[in-house]
Amino acid sequence: MTIRETLRSATERLELHHVSNSRLTAEVLLAHSLSVSREHLYAHDDRWLTDEEAQTLENFIYDRIGGVPLQYIVGRQEFYGRYFHVNPAVLIPRPETEYIVEAVLEARETAEQSVCPPFILDIGTGSGCIAVTLALEIPDATVFAADISEAALQVARENAGSLGAKVGFVCMDMLDAVNGRFDFIVSNPPYVRRSEITWLQREVREHEPHVALFAADDELEGYRRLVRGAEDMLNPAGFLIMAVGLGMADGVQALFGAAWTKLPTRKDLQGIPRTVIAKKKPLR
Ligand SMILES: C[S@@+](CC[C@H](N)C(=O)[O-])C[C@H]1O[C@@H](n2cnc3c(N)ncnc32)[C@H](O)[C@@H]1O
C-alpha cells in the first residue's frame, strides 16, 4: 500500500477501536515506523511501504489498540519545549507539571533568591523532566535529582545526557540519604489513592509505573515526609514546591508549621490548584 492508503486504513482501524485522535495517531505511528516527520508523509504520500515497514506499523497499531500510550510507543514526550525520552519505567510528563518549573523561575526573581547560584533538589525525578529543565533554564544552578526507582533514574540520566544538562542523580527513598543544603526542593510525588485505581484511564492504570502513581494508604504521608525533610535541608528563605492531586491542596498546605510562610498555590486554567509553594522563614 502507499502512504496515503496506509494512513486511511490505519485511521479507520484505530477509530473502530475507539482510539482518540485516530488520524493524528495514525500519522504519528506511521511517521515513527518510517523514521520520518509527519510532514514527510504528505510530501511523499504515493510512496509504497516495504513489507518490513508495514509490519513495524502493524505492531505499533496493535500496541496502541491494546492501550499502550502513544508516548511509550514513540518513546518521547515534550515538556517545557524539549523532548524527553520515556519508557514504561517512568511517568509520562504532564503539562501541569510545568507549573513547578514556572514557580521556581518566578521565585528566582525575588531578591534573596536571585543573588546566588541556587542549589536545587528534585525528589521523585522520573524521566528527569523537572530537574533537567531547571538545569537548562538556570545554567548556574547546581541540580540534584533523586528517585527510589533505579530504572527511572536510568531514563533520567539518559535525558540529562542527550539534552546536555548537568544533573547529579541519586537513588533514595524521599529525602532519606540527603546530606546538604538547598535553595529549592521540588517534587511531583505519587499522589493517587489506591482506592481511585478504577477511575484511572486504562492507559495510565495498565501501563504507567504504579510506584509513580500511587501514594501510601494515607495519601498525605509522602507530603509529610517531604515537608519534614525540607525543613532540615532547605536554606533559610528556601522554597519547597510540590505538585498536588485534585482536592489535596488544603490538606498539603495544612502540613506546614511555624517554620514556613505559605505562598499562593498555582492553579491551572480551570482554577484547580496544582502546585503548593512554601518558603522557609529566614533566620532572625
Ligand atoms: C508522579 S512521578 C513524577 C515523575 C516526574 N518528576 C514527573 O513529574 O513527571 C513520581 C516519581 O517518584 C518516584 N517515587 C515514588 N516513591 C518514592 C520515594 N519514596 N522516594 C523517592 N522517589 C519516589 C517514582 O519512582 C516516580 O518516578
Side-chain angles (χ1 to χ4, degrees):
M1 276 200 284
T2 64
I3 284 180
R4 190 182 322 115
E5 290 161 345
T6 305
L7 268 180
R8 194 181 314 123
S9 126
T11 304
E12 279 168 12
R13 282 173 56 208
L14 291 164
E15 216 164 56
L16 196 71
H17 288 86
H18 312 291
V19 173
S20 56
N21 302 315
S22 50
R23 174 73 190 189
L24 178 62
T25 302
E27 288 178 12
V28 171
L29 292 179
L30 181 55
H32 187 57
S33 312
L34 305 181
S35 304
V36 299
S37 66
R38 279 171 52 219
E39 292 70 31
H40 182 103
L41 300 178
Y42 286 97
H44 302 87
D45 65 351
D46 53 356
R47 123 130 147 80
W48 283 69
L49 268 68
T50 65
D51 288 348
E52 199 182 329
E53 289 167 341
Q55 187 55 55
T56 304
L57 176 66
E58 201 51 39
N59 296 343
F60 291 159
I61 291 175
Y62 179 84
D63 286 348
R64 187 65 197 97
I65 287 173
V68 180
L70 188 58
Q71 292 91 335
Y72 287 152
I73 299 174
V74 301
R76 62 183 199 155
Q77 169 64 27
E78 193 188 336
F79 182 83
Y80 214 79
R82 299 179 181 92
Y83 278 102
F84 284 77
H85 171 59
V86 292
N87 68 24
V90 298
L91 190 91
I92 297 165
R94 307 293 203 265
E96 61 268 22
T97 305
E98 293 185 356
Y99 292 128
I100 292 189
V101 174
E102 287 174 7
V104 174
L105 297 180
E106 203 170 281
R108 284 278 295 155
E109 306 288 313
T110 64
E112 304 104 311
Q113 287 297 342
S114 57
V115 184
C116 303
F119 276 71
I120 301 174
L121 174 63
D122 174 26
I123 299 290
T125 198
S127 63
C129 57
I130 301 172
V132 168
T133 302
L134 288 173
L136 294 172
E137 294 295 322
I138 313 173
D140 63 352
T142 303
V143 182
F144 291 94
D147 205 289
I148 201 165
S149 156
E150 188 50 62
L153 284 170
Q154 221 170 312
V155 176
R157 277 192 202 99
E158 195 182 310
N159 280 320
S162 63
L163 290 166
K166 225 173 134 233
V167 178
F169 292 101
V170 53
C171 190
M172 67 176 180
D173 186 358
M174 287 290 176
L175 287 140
D176 278 4
V178 180
N179 193 1
R181 284 275 175 272
F182 299 90
D183 301 297
F184 293 92
I185 295 179
V186 298
S187 185
N188 176 17
Y191 54 67
V192 181
R193 298 175 189 94
R194 285 261 165 206
S195 57
E196 288 171 357
I197 188 164
T198 48
W199 298 5
L200 293 176
Q201 273 182 305
R202 175 179 166 219
E203 272 93 342
V204 176
R205 189 178 61 234
E206 291 182 4
H207 296 279
E208 296 205 69
H210 284 195
V211 66
L213 295 172
F214 295 110
D217 288 344
D218 169 5
E219 74 269 12
L220 290 181
E221 182 51 25
Y223 292 98
R224 206 170 281 121
R225 289 178 69 189
L226 285 167
V227 172
R228 215 183 297 133
E231 209 161 305
D232 293 336
M233 310 295 174
L234 275 176
N235 284 323
F239 290 81
L240 173 59
I241 302 174
M242 300 179 288
V244 289
L246 228 77
M248 296 180 84
D250 289 346
V252 173
Q253 282 203 313
L255 301 175
F256 292 102
W260 298 91
T261 305
K262 290 180 241 180
L263 299 173
T265 55
R266 283 187 99 85
K267 299 192 172 87
D268 66 16
L269 296 175
Q270 292 158 320
I272 300 169
R274 293 291 188 176
T275 308
V276 164
I277 309 168
K279 186 175 180 181
K280 190 170 158 182
K281 287 189 179 156
L283 295 175
R284 288 173 184 267

